[in-house]
Amino acid sequence: LAAARGEQAAAAGAATVERGRSVIFFVDDLHLSTVGILRARQLLLDFISREMTPGTRVMIASASGQIGFLQQYTNEREVLRAAAGRLSYLTQASLDNERPMMSAYLAMAIDRGDRAALAYMMRVMATTESGVRMRASRIRRQAAQLSRATITALESVVRQSSPLAGRQTLFYISEGFPFDSQEADINYKLQRITDAAARSGTVVYTLDARGLSAGIDSVDASNGGTIDPGLSGYNSMGELSASQEVLRAIAADTGGRALLNTNALEAAVSKTLAETTNYYVLAWRPEGELAATEGAPKFRKISIAVKGQPELTVRVRRGFLNAPGGRESPPAGRTTAAATPVKAALNAALNAPAVRRDLQVDAYPAFADDEQAGSVLLVPVQVANERLQFAPVGDRRQATVEMACIVLDDKGKIVFSEGKTLTLTGEAVEAGGSATVGARGRVATSFSHPVNAPGLYQVRVAARDSASGLVGSAFRWVEVPDMKAGRLALSSLFISESGQPPQASGADAAPEVLKADRRFARSSRLLLQFQIYHAARKGDSGPPEAEVEIKVLDNNNQAVLNAPPRKVAATPTGDPARLPYAAEIPLGKLTTGMYWLQVSVTDARTRTPATRQIEFTVR
C-alpha cells in the first residue's frame, strides 16, 4: 500500500502495533434538536456499554467542539461516557425562533424567487414582501454558516484520524440540512471530505437522528399544523428528502451508506460494525495528469464495478483531489505543552492528535492511595530498545533516550510535567536515574505525581532516540475516585506477569512490577493486585467486608474466564479503610488476542458496587 501511495515503506524492524477497530461518532450538534441530542447521547451510551469490545478505539467528536479535550481516540469507557455527557443542545441550532417558524428549506425557496412561498409567508406573517425577504435572507445566511462549520469540522476529524493504522468507521449523527447548491464552495468542501476519507482510510455512515419520519411538519403553527395546499414547490416529504440529501451524498462518496428513516439506530450501528468487519483494500497509484499537480487541485472521480456481475454493488470512495492533503489540527480544547522542559520533537509528540510509533513506547498510569503518602499516580514506562542506535563511546556502545511525561486533566490543562535523559551502555544504565535495560528487550523507568482532585487524567509519554531522532509516544487515561467522599472505591488494577523464565541478561536486572505493555504470554499467569477503599464496617469496631468477582471478556464481550464471587475482609492488624486483594489468572486456555480484565466489587453490607476494567493482550 505504501508503494501504491508513492510513500517510502516502513523500515524493517519497525514497532508492531496491535490492530483493532477504530470507530468515530461525529455528532452534528449544529443540526440536532433537543430530542436529537438526547437520542444521540443514548445511542453513544448504549454502544459504550454493549457494543464496544477489547481493541476498539473510539472517538466522540462534535461539530461545535463542545466535547473539548475529550475529543480523541480512547478505549476507556469512563472517558467516553464523560465525552457523551458533554453533549447538550445548542441554541444556535435553531435558525428561527419567530412564529410562524420559517425553515431553512422554505427560506431558500423564497430567496430563490418562489413567488407562492413568498405570498404564503406574507399572509401568515401579516407583513410586507420586504419583511419576508429580509427574514428569509437572514435565515439562509445563518443556515449556510452552520453548514460550512459542520462540513469543516467533519473534514478536520477525518484528517485527524490519518496517522492511525487500518480502517476507520465514522458514524455521522445529524438531522441533516438542505443542500444549498448556490453556495460557491459547498461542492468543493464536500469533495475535500471525500479526499480526506480516501487518505485516512475512513468510511462514513450517516444516521438521521429523527428516526422514522413521515415528513417535516408545520411551517405555520397557527394553521393547525398544516401547510397551505396552494404553497407551490413545498411538501413535507420534499423538505425531509432535501435535508437528507447531504447525508446520502457524504455516505455514498466515502464508500459508506446512509442509515435513514429508522428508529432502530442502535441496531443499525451494530449491523454496520458487523458488515465492516470484512472488506477489500484496492491500491491504485494515479500517474500522469491524475497525479498531484501544481495549482488548484482537481477532483478525480473513481468508479469500480465487478466485471460480469452487474447485480453486485461496490461501495467505494468516489474520488480524490490530485493534490497533497492538508495537515490536521489538534482537537478543540487541547492545551499545548510548550512550557515543558523537553525538546521540540518531544513536545510535538506530546501534543499530537495520535500516538507516534517509530519507537514502541508503553505507559501504564495507575492510581493508588496510601495512608501516609495520600493519592498518587504511578507511571511505569517501557521503550523497546531494538530500534535504538548504539554508537561507539570508548570501548563500549552507548545510546541515549530523551523522555518526557505530562499529566493533563479532562479540560486539557497540564498538572504535571517532567523530563529525563537515560544514557544506556551495554545492558545497564550508567546515568540519568532509575532505569534498567535487558529485561524483555525494554528500557524501563517511571514517573510519579501526587493527585488531590478526583476526576479523569490523561498521561502522555514521549521518548526520542538521540542518535536516530526516532520518536514514540503513548497516551493513557486514568480515573481518580473521590477519596474524601468516604464511598466504596477501587485503586487501579495492577497487573504483572508471573510464571515466565527470567529474560534479563544481568543478575541485577530489576523485575517488572507492572506490565507496561500489557502483553502476556499464554504460558504465563497474570498477577492481579488492587486495593478496596472505604468498605462499610459493621458498627464501630467490626471489620469491613467486600465481595470480589473477576471476569475476562473476549472480543465479543463474552466471559471466557469467570471466577466465582469471593469475600474479602480486613485482617485484625490491617488498615480497615484499605483492603488489599491479589489473584493469579492462568492464561493457557485463552487464544491469542485482546481481552478485558473486569473486576467488580460489592460492599457486603451496603451492596454498593464499584468496577474497574483494563485491556490486555495474550500473545
Side-chain angles (χ1 to χ4, degrees), residues 119-292:
Y120 174 75
M121 289 306 298
M122 287 174 60
R123 177 168 61 83
V124 298
M125 289 174 58
T127 188
T128 63
E129 176 178 341
S130 62
V132 173
R133 287 192 180 279
M134 287 179 60
R135 183 177 170 194
S137 180
R138 172 179 56 80
I139 292 172
R140 186 176 181 182
R141 288 196 304 271
Q142 290 175 343
Q145 290 174 355
L146 294 184
S147 300
R148 284 194 295 268
T150 292
I151 293 172
T152 300
L154 177 60
E155 181 194 348
S156 176
V157 169
V158 173
R159 292 197 187 277
Q160 179 185 326
S161 63
S162 60
L164 298 170
R167 180 180 181 177
Q168 282 73 241
T169 301
L170 187 149
F171 292 101
Y172 174 26
I173 306 171
S174 178
E175 292 178 9
F177 51 89
F179 186 84
D180 194 345
S181 58
Q182 294 186 19
E183 284 292 314
D185 61 347
I186 189 70
N187 287 318
Y188 177 67
K189 287 183 178 296
L190 291 178
Q191 289 173 351
R192 285 185 60 86
I193 292 176
T194 305
D195 178 72
R199 296 175 185 275
S200 62
T202 302
V203 179
V204 180
Y205 289 78
T206 55
L207 289 85
D208 191 336
R210 291 170 295 197
L212 186 61
S213 176
I216 297 178
D217 294 332
S218 189
V219 173
D220 183 4
S222 67
N223 194 25
T226 62
I227 301 298
D228 190 320
L231 180 55
S232 172
Y234 180 87
N235 64 77
S236 60
M237 289 305 296
E239 179 165 355
L240 175 64
S241 179
S243 67
Q244 292 178 338
E245 185 58 34
V246 69
L247 304 182
R248 295 187 184 94
I250 291 174
D253 290 351
T254 59
R257 286 193 294 119
L259 308 172
L260 311 176
N261 304 320
T262 176
N263 289 329
L265 297 179
E266 293 82 2
V269 169
S270 180
K271 182 179 178 180
T272 298
L273 293 176
E275 78 174 26
T276 56
T277 300
N278 299 300
Y279 58 91
Y280 295 90
V281 176
L282 302 179
W284 168 62
R285 180 178 178 178
E287 297 178 346
E289 66 176 10
L290 296 180

Side-chain angles (χ1 to χ4, degrees), residues 67 69-70 86 408-413 455-458 477:
I67 294 175
F69 183 66
L70 299 184
R86 290 187 177 181
L408 307 102
D409 63 16
D410 63 356
K411 300 297 190 299
K413 179 182 178 181
L456 292 168
Y457 293 87
Q458 187 179 53
W477 289 89

Side-chain angles (χ1 to χ4, degrees), residues 162 181 215 234 252 394 419 425 436 447 468 489 584 586 602 612:
S162 60
S181 58
Y234 180 87
T425 303
T436 61
F447 300 86
S468 66
E584 277 196 343
T602 304
R612 287 275 193 180

Side-chain angles (χ1 to χ4, degrees), residues 413-488:
K413 179 182 178 181
I414 296 176
V415 298
F416 166 78
S417 65
E418 183 180 345
K420 61 174 65 175
T421 299
L422 306 178
T423 302
L424 315 176
T425 303
E427 294 192 352
V429 173
E430 288 190 341
S434 175
T436 61
V437 179
R440 293 169 176 80
R442 298 289 192 267
V443 179
T445 188
S446 64
F447 300 86
S448 65
H449 175 63
V451 288
N452 298 317
L456 292 168
Y457 293 87
Q458 187 179 53
V459 174
R460 295 186 165 212
V461 178
R464 178 181 180 272
D465 180 11
S466 296
S468 66
L470 294 178
V471 176
S473 60
F475 303 163
R476 292 282 189 180
W477 289 89
V478 61
E479 182 184 12
V480 175
D482 188 354
M483 296 300 294
K484 296 180 181 179
R487 294 188 295 267
L488 181 70

Side-chain angles (χ1 to χ4, degrees), residues 194 248-249 251-255 299-303 314 316-320:
T194 305
R248 295 187 184 94
D253 290 351
T254 59
F299 189 77
R300 302 298 187 178
K301 294 183 179 180
I302 297 175
S303 177
V314 180
V316 66
R317 302 175 193 94
R318 293 183 176 178
F320 64 97

